[in-house]
Amino acid sequence: MEKIGIVLLNYLNYQDTIECVDSIRKMDYEIEGIVIVDNHSDNESFAVLHKKYQDDAKIIVVKTGKNYGFAKGNNVGINIARKRFRAEFIFVANNDILFVQKEYFDKLLGHYAEGVGVIGSEIQLGDGTIQKRYLTYTSLKESIIIFLYYFSLVHQNIFLRSLLPEIHRSACTLHGCALLLTPDFFKYYEGFYKRTFLYCEEDILYLMCRIYNLQQRYVNGSYIFHKENQSSQ
């Protein structure tokens, strides 16, 4: 059985985190452990989560010194999960998802092979639809263009945006709310690119994989439930 660790990033909405952990415990797959990273919530989140799980050897709750955002916050948990639980695969998930398919991890691992860096799945939404997969880009050049495009949005640089050519999207990449990072990914990286805060992580992750010819795989027939937008809110 492959060693999987799970990282959950909590900010304020600790009840979602508790519900997510409860759903993990109902799965068939025995994971190595869960790392809950409280991203410097200014409410009682850390105290509640720490008290609830302090006697559980398979759950570690930590609090960051400030709000690091998505990438760097998850990287804290990834580092702990790999060292403390000796996890080879790391599943990074929004805390507002629920595991509803008991054989979920078996399905994802069934699509792992040499050269596969990241694995994802279908994501069910509250209205019964499947969350639309993000789109990737046909070349390294277009990956750079999309990064510059988002950079221009963040910094409100209309001049830079006007200079960028039209983006032609083609293939599929994976949604950041639920990603399985493989040992092949960790041959080259320790986690996400750390200089973002909340957006562009999927695009940069795609580019990171392209650099080392790592595949991203989307597994049809495997699914989780996403409450959607709770983390962003």
Side-chain angles (χ1 to χ4, degrees), residues 7-9 35 37-40 62-80 92 190-199 201:
V7 174
L8 302 176
L9 191 62
V35 180
V37 180
D38 181 65
N39 213 0
H40 203 66
V62 298
K63 183 173 183 176
T64 58
K66 66 177 184 178
N67 187 343
Y68 287 135
F70 177 89
K72 196 172 180 180
N74 275 311
N75 286 350
V76 171
I78 290 170
N79 181 59
I80 294 172
V92 178
E190 295 181 351
F192 294 98
Y193 177 73
K194 63 183 181 181
R195 294 180 184 268
T196 62
F197 186 80
L198 190 58
Y199 297 105
E201 289 85 4

Side-chain angles (χ1 to χ4, degrees), residues 193-211:
Y193 177 73
K194 63 183 181 181
R195 294 180 184 268
T196 62
F197 186 80
L198 190 58
Y199 297 105
C200 305
E201 289 85 4
E202 293 97 339
D203 301 298
I204 296 173
L205 183 63
Y206 171 75
L207 178 59
M208 290 166 65
C209 288
R210 283 289 300 271
I211 289 171

Side-chain angles (χ1 to χ4, degrees), residues 69-107:
F70 177 89
K72 196 172 180 180
N74 275 311
N75 286 350
V76 171
I78 290 170
N79 181 59
I80 294 172
R82 296 185 69 205
K83 289 182 177 178
R84 297 278 292 276
F85 294 128
R86 306 282 184 185
E88 300 166 330
F89 294 77
I90 302 294
F91 189 80
V92 178
N94 282 16
N95 68 328
D96 59 345
I97 70 165
L98 295 175
F99 292 83
V100 293
Q101 193 177 41
K102 289 187 175 182
E103 67 276 17
Y104 179 75
F105 284 127
D106 291 307
K107 287 180 176 291

Side-chain angles (χ1 to χ4, degrees), residues 175-186:
H175 197 284
C177 76
L179 297 169
L180 182 65
L181 306 177
T182 75
D184 295 61
F185 178 84
F186 291 116

Side-chain angles (χ1 to χ4, degrees), residues 3 5 32 52 56 116 120 205:
K3 294 182 177 180
E32 300 302 305
K52 184 172 183 63
D56 192 322
V116 175
L205 183 63

